[in-house]
Amino acid sequence: MPLDAVRPSPLVEQAADRLRAQITGGQWPVGTRLPGETTLAKVLGVGRSTVREALRALAGAGLVRARHGAGVFVTATEPAEDWPARLRRAAVTDVYEVRLGVEVHAAALAAARRTPEDTAALRAALGGRRTAAAADDAADDAAFVDADIALHAAVVAAAHNPVLTDLFTEFTPALRRGLIEMLDLVGLRRHDPNTGDDTHEALVEAIARGDAEAASTVLREELQQTLDLLRRA
């Protein structure tokens, strides 16, 4: 497939698309050294800076890699799947196993780092979970799951680690979907609309008093029980 000159705008995206098509179409197999920037710019009808940005986009997708002094080489014929896309198709049990590690560590950090504002936020989130459980629409599992996740998000926020916060935020859509499906399948809230209230209260109070060991133990046991339910469901 020959390379064609691109239209005026947006130049970088169009140039990247043309180069990507060469790679994914098999015209440039893995290991191929791409033509130099000057050659590509001439063929595509764009400036070298546009080619450079297009190559950076391809590198970000995992398709090419620059080797110092040697040029740019094809490293894959399919774009690397980004993290959100991988989470969307991941089994919720796989996500939950990672969540268990992330949140248990976050709970211990929260107990050590919590501020009065964090403690207030945790208790407010616990109250929100109870309100969702007792509402007239108590059968609405989605509202209860949202309130539950909000409490767990408050725990992670109290750890004051932006990386942990970002990880939890990425997990949230897959977790929400899986938990709603699980509650619907096993009917966990039919006889106990506020299921898990005692463990969540224990978690909040352990963090509030600065007991990292108790906080991590309570959360580990609670998440493990939910993971076991998810596996059976």
Side-chain angles (χ1 to χ4, degrees):
M1 180 177 63
L3 285 171
D4 298 322
V6 300
R7 295 181 300 276
S9 178
L11 293 178
V12 172
E13 289 85 350
Q14 291 184 54
D17 286 345
R18 296 291 193 278
L19 298 174
R20 186 182 296 109
Q22 291 291 110
I23 295 171
T24 59
Q27 284 74 24
W28 290 337
V30 171
T32 300
R33 180 182 182 279
L34 270 58
E37 288 181 4
T38 301
T39 301
L40 290 174
K42 183 176 180 179
V43 173
L44 294 169
V46 297
R48 289 181 60 187
S49 61
T50 298
V51 170
R52 195 172 301 120
E53 290 300 318
L55 290 174
R56 285 176 183 167
L58 296 184
L63 293 173
V64 301
R65 180 179 298 172
R67 298 177 188 170
H68 183 68
V72 178
F73 292 80
V74 177
T75 55
T77 56
E78 292 294 333
E81 187 175 41
D82 63 19
W83 178 239
R86 183 169 296 182
L87 281 176
R88 282 194 296 271
R89 68 174 182 80
V92 68
T93 50
D94 292 336
V95 175
Y96 223 88
E97 287 175 354
V98 178
R99 178 196 182 189
L100 200 153
V102 168
E103 283 199 59
V104 169
H105 184 54
L109 291 177
R113 299 174 177 176
R114 84 277 184 236
T115 65
E117 291 77 14
D118 293 326
T119 300
L122 285 165
R123 288 184 170 141
L126 179 62
R129 190 178 188 275
R130 288 169 171 168
T131 298
D136 291 339
D137 61 347
D140 182 359
D141 288 335
F144 180 76
V145 167
D146 287 340
D148 179 78
I149 289 175
L151 173 54
H152 286 269
V155 172
V156 175
H160 296 281
N161 183 312
V163 177
L164 288 175
T165 299
D166 288 347
L167 281 172
F168 184 80
T169 300
E170 293 283 2
F171 291 158
T172 297
L175 290 175
R176 183 179 188 274
R177 182 177 64 251
L179 289 173
I180 292 172
E181 291 175 356
M182 180 200 71
L183 290 175
D184 182 57
L185 284 171
V186 304
L188 193 62
R189 298 182 60 235
R190 291 172 193 156
H191 303 294
D192 183 9
N194 196 13
T195 181
D197 180 65
D198 53 345
T199 57
H200 284 79
E201 180 179 26
L203 171 63
V204 169
E205 293 308 316
I207 293 174
R209 67 175 181 270
D211 191 337
E213 182 176 356
S216 58
T217 297
V218 168
L219 187 53
R220 182 184 296 107
E221 292 176 353
E222 190 265 329
L223 292 177
Q224 186 62 56
Q225 289 176 0
T226 305
L227 177 58
D228 293 340
L229 283 173
L230 285 167
R231 283 172 174 158
R232 290 198 294 271

